[in-house]
Amino acid sequence: MQRSYLPGIFAMAAIVVASNILVQFLILDGLLTWGAFTYPLAFLVTDIMNRVYGVGPARKVVFAGFVTGVICSLIGSQIMLEFGPAVPLRIAVASGTAFLVAQLTDVTVFNRFRGGVWWRAPLISTLIGSALDTALFFTIAFSASVTVFGPSADAAINWAWEAVPFMNSGPAAPLWVTLAFADWLVKLSLALIALIPFRVIVQRLDPAARIA
């Protein structure tokens, strides 16, 4: 593995570790966690690697992030809090599945649009990848319709089934639906903001890149 890939791997690992820690801290009356603001940066790292080094290195960075996430989940599953493990089984499976599928989808979509104007590939790939990530994670982790994990695993997350006003003011819906929507809104906002550091970093790493 070329040394030039290592900063991307370290950055991805740092984002995954930070997000796993910050997800424990709630904000906005429990609608979000601080981890919601760090995790979307994973798409930025993947897209920069894809633009500068290509699909292969981008996928290597994704797999490095996936392995880091699995390690974090294993550690979290052994940390017991008041209501059970810090990382319940369903959340651990959802986190790994959503990360891997969404990030690899991001790589593929980015590559499909890489020949257009500079902002199109990172924006489209991040929007699709982040939407897929949110849908997969919250459905696998919290949906009552997913029953393959068994009663014990469901009991660890059934707090998310409570019917509450959507986004704290709308019609009643399961809490996890509100959490998913709020998370997606953050990802959507950061996808737009991330275009600025994407352009700056790519130009510094590869001044000859077609980014005009």
Side-chain angles (χ1 to χ4, degrees):
M1 184 178 297
Q2 295 185 23
R3 288 189 176 183
S4 56
Y5 304 164
L6 292 180
I9 291 174
F10 290 146
M12 181 66 81
I15 290 168
V16 171
V17 171
S19 298
N20 273 271
I21 294 172
L22 294 174
V23 75
Q24 304 296 328
F25 300 95
L26 303 176
I27 57 175
L28 299 178
D29 294 327
L31 286 179
L32 292 168
T33 72
W34 284 114
F37 295 91
T38 56
Y39 176 75
L41 296 177
F43 291 99
L44 173 62
V45 173
T46 300
D47 289 347
I48 290 172
M49 292 297 298
N50 204 341
R51 172 66 77 183
V52 177
Y53 301 110
V55 171
R59 287 177 177 153
K60 288 183 173 67
V61 168
V62 168
F63 283 116
F66 173 73
V67 171
T68 302
V70 169
I71 293 172
C72 288
S73 292
L74 289 174
I75 294 173
S77 68
Q78 301 304 308
I79 299 175
M80 301 304 295
L81 303 177
E82 181 180 358
F83 299 105
V87 182
L89 174 62
R90 285 188 57 162
I91 291 179
V93 174
S95 178
T97 302
F99 178 89
L100 192 60
V101 173
Q103 291 291 330
L104 290 178
T105 299
D106 179 279
V107 172
T108 300
V109 174
F110 186 103
N111 195 52
R112 169 66 178 80
F113 292 99
R114 71 186 308 127
V117 292
W118 72 268
W119 53 266
R120 188 169 66 170
L123 182 60
I124 294 176
S125 63
T126 299
L127 290 177
I128 293 175
S130 60
L132 185 59
D133 181 273
T134 297
L136 284 174
F137 175 78
F138 283 93
T139 300
I140 296 171
F142 300 119
S143 176
S145 64
V146 177
T147 59
V148 297
F149 294 96
S152 179
D154 291 345
I157 54 85
N158 61 12
W159 53 266
W161 300 347
E162 179 185 1
V164 298
F166 180 70
M167 294 298 288
N168 292 341
S169 61
L175 173 60
W176 72 268
V177 175
T178 284
L179 298 179
F181 185 73
D183 180 82
W184 179 76
L185 288 180
V186 173
K187 288 190 176 83
L188 176 62
S189 300
L190 290 180
L192 298 172
I193 295 172
L195 291 175
I196 298 172
F198 173 84
R199 179 165 183 159
V200 171
I201 294 172
V202 167
Q203 286 184 322
R204 289 188 177 182
L205 292 176
D206 185 10
R210 193 172 125 188
I211 200 87

